[in-house]
Amino acid sequence: MQLDGLQLDGLGYRGKTCVVTGGASGMGEQVARILGELGAKVHIVDIAEPKVPCESYTPLDLSDFDAVRAAAEQLKALAPIHFLFPCAGLPPMVKGPLYCMRVNYVGTRLFVESLEPALADGASIALISSDAAMGWMKNLGQSMQMLAISDPDEAIAWVEADPENRLRDGYTTSKEMLVVWTANAAVKLGLERRIRLNCIGPCPTRTAFMDVQETALPDGFLDKWPYPSLGRMATAEDQAWPLVLLGSPLNAAITGTFLYTDQGFATGVFTGAIDPAFMSGSKL
């Protein structure tokens, strides 16, 4: 790959077809805005109508698996799709842990896999997990069991059979599953079609999502959170840029990666530089 002016122009997005789920608010909205400013043709999929300019809008509730399949079938008309950004997600207090799992992991995976035939060879998929998934490796055995279930209804039934262990708060588990799925699926996608699949792990970020989640946190919790790189809570744009950069073809050697975009929180905890005691009792 030559890093000439044509490659660098628009970070490789100019004139390319991009699909963004969750593009009506938060990080997804900022991803859609940035892509548009880089010259991409942006198509937004969301339960709410987007405010940023886009080529098309497809209404979709990712918890409705039949609707997910129908939306993916409709969007196949855009082929070849060069970039896919699954950004939709929500906390468990909106409609409960099971709905959270349906949207964040099961519905998202179904949407991506259903749209896969319309992706260009060499396409990029970049999605949003969370640093709430920082303990994903300790739960890997159970996560691999769920990963093996490709049918979404069967996956939900498996979770419902033991919700205390398999669902937990819905959010943490679903975000862990996104990390495991990314790491696993990236290999086959890459070997067969040179499609890259990566995800980011944001820290607390000031969005409407966080406004809802904050109501379940102890008073002053987010004030105690360490913010080494920014000195403040991240914004949606702070998180959107790493996702866009990760998806760019300039990062051709990167796939299967879980990139912490959390101001050093996870690695700080891993190495003892950050004491996680302040999180006691929190489900963030």
Side-chain angles (χ1 to χ4, degrees):
M1 179 178 63
Q2 293 182 347
L3 299 183
D4 55 28
L6 291 177
Q7 288 283 357
L8 291 172
D9 180 36
L11 300 175
Y13 289 106
R14 189 170 301 282
K16 301 299 184 180
T17 298
C18 304
V19 173
V20 182
T21 72
S25 64
M27 299 179 206
E29 181 180 49
Q30 292 305 308
V31 166
R33 178 188 61 78
I34 291 169
L35 291 172
E37 292 175 356
L38 291 173
K41 299 174 182 177
V42 182
H43 300 264
I44 293 178
V45 180
D46 203 307
I47 198 170
E49 190 166 349
K51 299 177 286 295
V52 298
C54 59
E55 298 284 326
S56 73
Y57 162 57
T58 302
L60 177 63
D61 180 346
L62 284 165
S63 73
D64 183 338
F65 301 146
D66 287 337
V68 170
R69 294 184 183 96
E73 193 62 33
Q74 176 184 332
L75 288 164
K76 286 178 182 178
L78 300 175
I81 296 168
H82 304 99
F83 300 95
L84 176 56
F85 290 90
C87 297
L90 75 168
M93 60 280 299
V94 174
K95 292 188 178 180
L98 189 61
Y99 185 84
C100 183
M101 174 63 79
R102 291 180 72 95
V103 170
N104 290 3
Y105 168 65
V106 182
T108 293
R109 175 180 171 179
L110 177 63
F111 180 78
V112 172
E113 292 181 343
S114 298
L115 198 58
E116 230 173 80
L119 298 183
D121 288 346
S124 172
I125 307 167
L127 56 89
I128 301 173
S129 177
S130 169
D131 69 355
M134 58 189 284
W136 69 273
M137 292 190 71
K138 70 179 181 181
N139 298 312
L140 184 57
Q142 179 172 278
S143 296
M144 291 301 293
Q145 294 179 49
M146 188 173 188
L147 182 70
I149 306 172
S150 59
D151 180 271
D153 293 309
E154 291 180 10
I156 293 300
W158 182 83
V159 165
E160 290 182 304
D162 185 5
E164 183 175 349
N165 294 306
R166 297 174 181 175
L167 180 61
R168 291 179 280 154
D169 68 345
Y171 182 77
T172 303
T173 317
S174 64
K175 293 300 187 177
E176 289 177 358
M177 286 305 306
L178 287 176
V179 174
V180 174
W181 172 53
T182 293
N184 182 272
V187 176
K188 186 172 186 289
L189 285 170
L191 290 174
E192 293 183 355
R193 299 186 56 202
R194 298 295 179 254
I195 292 174
R196 296 187 301 118
L197 173 60
N198 293 290
C199 65
I200 64 170
C203 57
T205 301
R206 181 50 68 196
T207 61
F209 176 110
M210 182 53 67
D211 292 342
V212 173
Q213 193 157 2
E214 192 171 3
T215 62
L217 298 173
D219 289 342
F221 177 82
L222 293 176
D223 294 331
K224 299 176 184 176
W225 193 279
Y227 302 108
S229 67
L230 293 171
R232 57 166 172 79
M233 187 182 296
T235 65
E237 184 176 5
D238 291 329
Q239 298 294 350
W241 270 112
L243 194 65
V244 169
L245 292 170
L246 191 59
S248 168
L250 297 175
N251 281 316
I254 302 175
T255 195
T257 292
F258 177 33
L259 175 66
Y260 288 110
T261 55
D262 65 352
Q263 304 198 48
F265 178 75
T267 50
V269 170
F270 296 156
T271 60
I274 293 175
D275 183 356
F278 75 94
M279 295 184 64
S280 178
S282 168
K283 294 183 178 180
L284 186 67

